[in-house]
Amino acid sequence: MDYPEAQLRLEWVYGYRGHQCRNNIHITSQGDVVYFVAGVAVIMSLDAQSQRFYLQHDDDIISMAMHNDEATVATGQVGHNPAIRIWDAVTLETVSILHGAHQRGVGAVVFSSANHQQRLASIGLEDDHRVAVWDWKHGTLLATCAGHSERVGIIQ
């Protein structure tokens, strides 16, 4: 039996994840709003009233940071081996994938203001809320250490 060709396509995302998340709405250099809902990062043009989607996460996104170039975005997710994905909000291309430092999830991410913002810091959802520092352009974990026993919602 031949099945008809069918394809699902995401057209619009309604809602916003604000529960247990901080620093999770940003504006790109083009004036688009970037935010996330479930495993979808949404890039919304207010002028055109349209949305584009970054769909490369395989679990819910719970953290996000915007690079000073206002186009590069880091998003962290929950899960057993959670990934931090660095991607371009204009082209929607993945630039780097970081994983291996955290378990359960990535609760906060931030680009460094030094070293041409080649560094990214992240905080995990482990019991000790592990802090990790990455060279995100090369996908390299530079350092990690135990953090605080309480959940950390933002890192600067």
Side-chain angles (χ1 to χ4, degrees):
M1 171 181 221
D2 291 332
Y3 294 100
E5 288 188 32
Q7 183 179 18
L8 292 176
R9 183 173 57 95
L10 183 59
E11 292 181 0
W12 195 265
V13 169
Y14 294 90
Y16 158 77
R17 178 173 177 140
H19 179 67
Q20 293 184 330
C21 298
R22 306 286 183 275
N23 197 25
N24 55 353
I25 298 179
H26 296 277
I27 307 293
T28 69
S29 58
Q30 298 180 337
D32 295 337
V33 179
V34 181
Y35 63 98
F36 55 85
V37 177
V40 179
V42 180
I43 303 90
M44 181 171 180
S45 169
L46 298 177
D47 293 334
Q49 287 297 296
S50 63
Q51 294 180 339
R52 296 178 303 121
F53 311 106
Y54 181 77
L55 300 169
Q56 300 304 309
H57 283 279
D58 58 10
D59 213 325
D60 286 0
I61 300 169
I62 60 169
S63 58
M64 180 170 63
M66 176 77 69
H67 191 279
N68 273 351
D69 67 10
E70 297 179 333
T72 306
V73 180
T75 44
Q77 69 181 48
V78 296
H80 176 68
N81 185 21
I84 301 167
R85 292 184 167 269
I86 315 298
W87 52 279
D88 188 299
V90 177
T91 66
L92 300 178
E93 292 181 10
T94 300
V95 177
S96 186
I97 302 171
L98 313 173
H99 53 81
H102 301 300
Q103 299 172 357
R104 298 188 204 152
V106 181
V109 291
V110 67
F111 286 99
S112 168
S113 58
N115 297 322
H116 307 289
Q117 290 196 309
Q118 267 188 255
R119 306 289 188 257
L120 180 96
S122 60
I123 298 180
L125 297 182
E126 306 81 19
D127 290 339
D128 64 359
H129 298 96
R130 188 148 297 278
V131 178
V133 178
W134 308 83
D135 176 339
W136 63 268
K137 287 188 177 182
H138 296 103
T140 307
L141 178 62
L142 301 174
T144 185
C145 67
H148 196 274
S149 61
E150 297 293 324
R151 183 171 179 175
V152 178
I154 193 167
I155 181 173
Q156 292 185 338

